[in-house]
Amino acid sequence: YFSDTAAEYLGEYLEQRKTDVRYSALPSDPLFLNPSGDRISVRGIEKMLDKYITAALPGRNDITVHKLRSSFAMSFYSSEKDILALQERMNHKSLNTTNIYAKAAENASKLTRNWRNITHKEVTEIFIYIFRNIIYTEFMSRNHSNFDPQSKI
């Protein structure tokens, strides 16, 4: 479940990655590596997301990795209306867990605890901004020295 824009950024990254000797091009290779060449950790992802959330939304300290994940789930369910597909995407063992997001998505007209005063369009823009900056700044910076992380999409 990617936007066309996110898929484009990821495609550029995957093309560039083919020249990185740290990857063996096996399906088991991690998608992203940390600077030491190891699989990026959950904490490493959290730190990157915190950095770019702060840049995208100065003054907002209520947006976490979990809130991004739950916003994805609610957005996916709102557009697809397929609880089983959402369960698979979220890797939930129990449909009851997935149903929490489906119910929240169905009540989207109310302010949710996850995205107070942020519209679906803004959530999408934030995802793209963060994803774009992580790809170009954290993983492709050597090949994009003229990339401006503050520029809008």
Side-chain angles (χ1 to χ4, degrees), residues 135-152:
I135 293 293
Y136 283 112
T137 307
E138 302 294 333
F139 298 107
M140 294 177 62
S141 57
R142 291 184 299 273
N143 294 337
H144 291 278
S145 57
N146 63 349
F147 174 70
D148 178 8
Q150 296 303 319
S151 69
K152 298 296 179 194

Side-chain angles (χ1 to χ4, degrees), residues 1 72 76-77 80-92 95 98:
Y1 186 74
F72 163 79
F76 181 87
Y77 184 78
E80 302 297 322
K81 300 287 189 220
D82 185 342
I83 191 111
L84 296 176
L86 178 59
Q87 179 185 17
E88 184 178 331
R89 296 279 165 101
M90 298 297 288
N91 198 28
H92 289 155
L95 193 57
T98 310

Side-chain angles (χ1 to χ4, degrees), residues 29-97:
D29 281 350
L31 184 58
F32 300 110
L33 299 177
N34 66 22
S36 10
D38 298 319
R39 179 182 302 270
I40 193 164
S41 69
V42 171
R43 184 65 189 133
I45 292 167
E46 288 172 345
K47 283 182 176 181
M48 275 191 285
L49 285 173
D50 287 345
K51 175 180 170 181
Y52 292 108
I53 288 168
T54 300
L57 297 167
R60 293 294 302 264
N61 60 1
D62 60 330
I63 299 173
T64 64
V65 173
H66 174 72
K67 288 181 183 182
L68 288 173
R69 180 175 160 83
S70 89
S71 293
F72 163 79
M74 290 187 299
S75 178
F76 181 87
Y77 184 78
S78 291
S79 67
E80 302 297 322
K81 300 287 189 220
D82 185 342
I83 191 111
L84 296 176
L86 178 59
Q87 179 185 17
E88 184 178 331
R89 296 279 165 101
M90 298 297 288
N91 198 28
H92 289 155
K93 293 187 183 359
S94 169
L95 193 57
N96 289 332
T97 304

